[in-house]
Amino acid sequence: MNILLPVLAVLIGFGISYFVYKKSVTINLLLAFSGSFLLSVTVLEFLPAIYNTGTASIGIFILGGILLQIILEYLSGGAEHGHFHLSKKDTNFPYVLFMSLCIHAFLEGIPIDSNHHLLYAVIVHKVPIAIIIASFLFNTRLSKTKIIVFLIIFGLMTPLGSYIQSNTKVLDPIVIYLDAIVIGIFLHVSTTILFESSKDHKFNIYKFGVILLGILLALVL
Ligand SMILES: [Zn+2]
Ligand SMILES: [Zn+2]
């Protein structure tokens, strides 16, 4: 059942973008909240749990995850944290963006089956991202078929990561290192969201409020 929740998050995101999406403050607040909640769960639970396994060179893999996310964002133009720099006139399938998003989504599926708070954090993180990706794609000249294929495969990547981790043993020998890489990815994505949410460093009481809310929610969970 849990495996289907990320799909639901993506579907909700697509639904919102298709029916009611207006480029509004709501999405930015949701994004800021998701970044703060994801960062908090990562720092409060995920990071200590992985460090406490006592595995050598965990820190190196966390740094590796940060570097990997930086590379993925070069390829996607920042779509993982809510940015798009794709030409709207493009009619070719955006393979590079697609691959980058899929690698990111697959990896973040790996740790969430065994950590429910992280599962919630990833779901909350996926809703605004799915809204932004879908509404961007629907505004390009890409055919509806291409967009739907893009969204379906992208939506299935996180559950696929969870499924492989929880139902097979293929990842077992390296899962601790993959988890460390995902920590790095989450640290980079969430801090980037928070950084970009404070435009020109102007204080915004609403944004600060939802950021506090994200931290508090992670603390009381
Ligand atoms: Zn960005
Ligand atoms: Zn993500």
Side-chain angles (χ1 to χ4, degrees):
M1 212 49 226
N2 279 336
I3 237 163
L4 293 175
L5 286 174
V7 181
L8 196 67
V10 170
L11 285 178
I12 291 171
F14 294 163
I16 294 175
S17 76
Y18 201 78
F19 295 110
V20 292
Y21 178 73
K22 288 188 190 75
K23 210 170 173 55
S24 62
V25 271
T26 328
I27 186 86
N28 288 326
L29 287 179
L30 188 59
L31 206 53
F33 172 75
S34 73
S36 149
F37 186 45
L38 183 63
L39 178 63
S40 305
V41 175
T42 301
V43 172
L44 293 169
E45 292 183 35
F46 191 25
L47 180 65
I50 299 304
Y51 255 111
N52 284 339
T53 59
T55 316
S57 55
I58 278 297
I60 302 290
F61 284 89
I62 294 177
L63 292 172
I66 292 176
L67 286 177
L68 174 64
Q69 184 57 35
I70 291 173
I71 294 168
L72 290 176
E73 283 173 20
Y74 281 135
L75 301 175
S76 72
E80 295 93 337
H81 64 259
H83 255 172
F84 261 108
H85 302 283
L86 209 73
S87 165
K88 289 192 177 184
K89 291 195 187 97
D90 237 332
T91 47
N92 295 326
F93 192 83
Y95 284 104
V96 177
L97 167 74
F98 178 71
M99 287 305 295
S100 160
L101 284 172
C102 284
I103 293 170
H104 173 96
F106 177 81
L107 287 172
E108 70 190 358
I110 293 170
I112 60 176
D113 194 61
S114 51
N115 185 333
H116 285 175
H117 296 164
L118 206 57
L119 170 73
Y120 304 144
V122 166
I123 289 168
V124 172
H125 151 67
K126 271 186 174 300
V127 172
I129 302 298
I131 296 174
I132 291 163
I133 291 173
S135 47
F136 178 83
L137 289 175
F138 282 118
N139 274 311
T140 63
R141 291 196 191 156
L142 275 178
S143 72
K144 284 268 186 308
T145 327
K146 282 180 186 165
I147 295 173
I148 306 248
V149 169
F150 186 117
L151 297 179
I152 288 176
I153 300 177
F154 166 67
L156 289 174
M157 289 314 278
T158 298
L160 181 68
S162 304
Y163 182 84
I164 291 178
Q165 168 52 18
S166 55
N167 292 287
T168 74
K169 293 189 188 309
V170 286
L171 297 178
D172 282 3
I174 52 161
V175 75
I176 190 82
Y177 302 109
L178 290 176
D179 281 348
I181 288 172
V182 177
I183 290 175
I185 289 176
F186 285 166
L187 287 177
H188 188 269
V189 164
S190 57
T191 48
T192 307
I193 290 172
L194 291 180
F195 171 71
E196 291 187 353
S197 78
S198 65
K199 209 168 182 292
D200 306 324
H201 305 285
K202 279 204 191 79
F203 184 74
N204 179 321
I205 186 75
Y206 298 107
K207 268 178 191 159
F208 193 72
V210 295
I211 288 169
L212 271 183
L213 202 67
I215 296 173
L216 284 175
L217 183 64
L219 281 171
V220 299
L221 268 182

